[in-house]
Amino acid sequence: MAQYVYGKNVVKQLLNDDKKIYEVLIQEGMKDRSFEDLLKQKKIPVRVLNKKKLEALLKTDHHQGIAASIDEYKTYSVDELLKAVPAGKTPLLVMLDGLEDPHNLGAILRTCDCVGADGVIIGKHRSVQLTPTVAKVSTGAIDTVKVAVVTNLVQTIKDLKEKGFWAVGADAHDAKDYREGQYDVPLLLVIGSEGFGISNLVRKNCDYCIALPMAGSVTSLNASVACSILLYEIYSHRHPL
């Protein structure tokens, strides 16, 4: 089944990656030679719509004047994520517990791509899925970072721990400073939801939790910001200067 994704960076990444595109929608009056040349070169059908019709079709006004019709984004099993880890590499996976904001998921995928994480795990229920908004915010990382959808996060944690992973939760409750974590092992970093953090059952199955110090009056960080800081801390430990 096809879906529309939108945004200049998203469509340009699709074109550069030679992803199958069924058609491109362009807002009337938009001029961009780089898109015109690529579309002609790849012989992709183009439909020009006025602003009102484009917004009605995409159900958003944040499309930047361009959209592409593509197959729905592929998801993977956790085993497929593990099989794709390069030989000799210490695996790094990110699990999102109840994350609902597509902007946060898109930003996390982008950071995962930047640090070379091996995949993201999300729940099938009560969690944001792969949407056009996620694609736009990820600026192409939705195509480079594998995402697994599971029905039971707790069971997935248990299965990964049996395979040698350490599960580390990002949570302020009974946690050590994030700079004290052990990151040179197969690692599952667990990030909680925007409003409620990690659920109790998920937290209980983590090996330990880490927290970011809050030296000011604000008591928490946006989920994607916290995840980015922690991922780069892990990267710093694994790739010291």
Side-chain angles (χ1 to χ4, degrees):
M1 185 176 177
Q3 64 173 337
Y4 285 108
V5 293
Y6 45 79
K8 291 182 179 179
N9 287 334
V10 173
V11 176
K12 192 164 286 188
Q13 187 69 47
L14 293 172
L15 290 167
N16 289 333
D17 291 346
D18 287 326
K19 189 175 179 71
K20 173 65 176 176
I21 299 176
Y22 295 102
E23 78 168 339
V24 167
L25 308 179
I26 293 179
Q27 183 175 309
E28 197 173 53
M30 191 185 95
K31 296 292 183 183
D32 191 323
R33 292 294 306 176
S34 62
F35 279 112
E36 290 177 17
D37 293 342
L38 272 171
L39 291 169
K40 285 179 182 177
Q41 177 187 334
K42 296 177 182 294
K43 299 179 181 178
I44 295 171
V46 174
R47 186 155 45 117
V48 179
L49 299 175
N50 63 38
K51 186 173 183 289
K52 185 176 179 180
K53 288 184 178 179
L54 190 59
E55 289 178 1
L57 180 62
L58 300 177
K59 298 179 175 60
T60 181
D61 59 358
H62 298 298
H63 47 68
Q64 299 179 313
I66 190 164
S69 174
I70 62 171
D71 291 322
E72 287 187 346
Y73 284 104
K74 181 181 167 127
T75 57
Y76 300 81
S77 68
V78 175
D79 283 341
E80 286 175 317
L81 264 57
L82 298 179
K83 287 177 184 175
V85 178
K89 183 178 186 290
T90 304
L92 170 61
L93 299 175
V94 176
M95 174 179 282
L96 305 178
D97 180 12
L99 200 75
E100 296 179 339
D101 186 347
H103 295 85
N104 273 331
L105 177 53
I108 288 170
L109 289 174
R110 188 173 181 175
T111 306
C112 284
D113 177 274
C114 291
V115 301
D118 299 297
V120 171
I121 301 170
I122 60 177
K124 186 175 182 179
H125 307 291
R126 295 185 296 278
S127 175
V128 64
Q129 303 298 306
L130 300 183
T131 68
T133 300
V134 174
K136 183 175 184 296
V137 176
S138 78
T139 62
I142 196 170
D143 289 308
T144 61
V145 179
K146 291 181 171 60
V147 176
V149 180
V150 300
T151 56
N152 190 316
L153 295 180
V154 171
Q155 187 58 52
T156 301
I157 292 174
K158 291 178 178 178
D159 292 342
L160 286 170
K161 287 169 72 172
E162 287 181 1
K163 292 179 169 68
F165 276 77
W166 286 50
V168 178
D171 192 270
H173 177 70
D174 194 23
K176 61 175 71 177
D177 189 289
Y178 78 111
R179 291 164 292 188
E180 298 177 315
Q182 183 178 349
Y183 302 131
D184 58 350
V185 295
L187 195 67
L188 175 69
L189 175 65
V190 184
I191 304 292
S193 67
E194 296 86 351
F196 303 99
I198 297 173
S199 60
N200 288 331
L201 273 177
V202 167
R203 185 191 298 109
K204 286 178 182 177
N205 281 276
C206 289
D207 291 293
Y208 63 90
C209 287
I210 52 175
L212 294 160
M214 297 286 131
S217 58
V218 175
T219 58
S220 65
L221 286 171
N222 175 282
S224 62
V225 173
C227 184
S228 296
I229 294 170
L230 296 174
L231 285 174
Y232 268 101
E233 180 69 11
I234 294 166
Y235 182 89
S236 177
H237 275 253
R238 293 185 175 187
H239 305 279
L241 290 176

